[in-house]
Amino acid sequence: MHKYKKRIVVKIGTSVMTNRDNRIMQPALNKLVDQVAELYEEDIMTVLVSSGSVNAGREILGDSVIEDKSQRRQVYSAIGQPRLMRHYYTLFQNYGMRCAQVLATKRDFNPGEHRTNMINCYEGLMAEGVIPIANEDDAVSVSHSMFSDNDELASLIAELIHADMLIILTDIDGFYTGHPADEGSELISEIKVDQQVEQYVAKTNKGETSGRGGMKSKLKVAKNTAAKGIPTYIANGKKDRVILDIIAGKPVGTKVTV
């Protein structure tokens, strides 16, 4: 079984891959795949946790006649997942690389047969040099089987595969001492798991309008993940080479660590 120099998990937020009309931007995905391909050449395996299936489904179906929000989300996701994966499949194929879709619900991470199957799936894909692309199985995931958001899913996967780091990409540079647009507001470059910075979250939070996870969620997930020995970064996924810069140790985003 291939032993990579590093294993990393990268969560791509909805706001990173969509424009103001909530339509998926192929060039944005292209930049991200470029970086994953470059890391692969350096013997670093990336597991992607990708939002966007609901938006992709909405692009195809348009306005839905379904009134129930949960059911509407299920339908959009079921339609959108193949479209989203087609984007990724085409982009990775340009590099002669292969990718695979791995859908999960929260119960799949519970101790027992489901968790063992998840581990075997990820280990098998990585051994074959295939890039796993994970997402919540929105088509069947409701109520108690739902993740709070894809940040939580990314954290659970990072723990599952013993990742060397987790990178959460959103549309702002990280946590600030105030709202990012305010004069005098500064980026917090590093946060310790026992450091109280929650007072900044409400000021920093812009929210991902078409996603479920905001900055409060990201801080909680980042601290929980870092406490398990996996350094976690929150950074701006719209910046060029942001993943590569983090791997290179450049001062990018907010690092959360023990």
Side-chain angles (χ1 to χ4, degrees), residues 122-157:
Y122 278 104
E123 293 295 339
L125 289 171
M126 290 187 290
E128 292 288 349
V130 178
I131 303 298
I133 301 177
N135 197 358
E136 180 171 12
D137 193 354
D138 289 311
V140 299
S141 181
V142 292
S143 62
H144 65 279
S145 65
M146 290 178 66
F147 301 100
S148 58
D149 47 50
N150 269 347
D151 300 326
E152 182 185 15
L153 171 59
S155 176
L156 289 169
I157 292 172

Side-chain angles (χ1 to χ4, degrees), residues 1-10 36 40 43-48 97-102 117-134 156-165:
M1 186 170 290
H2 188 91
K3 297 290 185 181
Y4 294 94
K5 289 193 298 184
K6 285 184 178 179
R7 293 176 169 188
I8 68 170
V9 176
V10 177
V36 173
Y40 187 81
D43 209 23
I44 297 173
M45 169 57 74
T46 304
V47 174
L48 292 177
M97 297 173 65
R98 297 164 297 175
C99 64
Q101 181 183 58
V102 184
N117 288 340
M118 289 283 287
I119 293 171
N120 290 339
C121 179
Y122 278 104
E123 293 295 339
L125 289 171
M126 290 187 290
E128 292 288 349
V130 178
I131 303 298
I133 301 177
L156 289 169
I157 292 172
E159 181 183 4
L160 189 81
I161 68 168
H162 304 289
D164 294 282
M165 70 172 64

Side-chain angles (χ1 to χ4, degrees), residues 61 63-76:
L61 190 62
D63 293 333
S64 173
V65 298
I66 300 170
E67 294 184 3
D68 183 82
K69 288 183 179 181
S70 295
Q71 186 182 25
R72 188 165 64 240
R73 181 179 180 85
Q74 287 176 290
V75 169
Y76 277 142

Side-chain angles (χ1 to χ4, degrees), residues 2 12 21 23-24 30 36 56 60 71 81 84 107 132 146 151 156 158 166 175 186 204 248:
H2 188 91
I12 305 170
D21 296 325
R23 297 185 67 84
I24 293 176
N30 199 8
V36 173
I60 297 171
Q71 186 182 25
Q81 280 290 354
L84 181 64
R107 61 177 174 265
M146 290 178 66
D151 300 326
L156 289 169
L166 167 62
F175 290 105
E186 297 180 354
T204 300

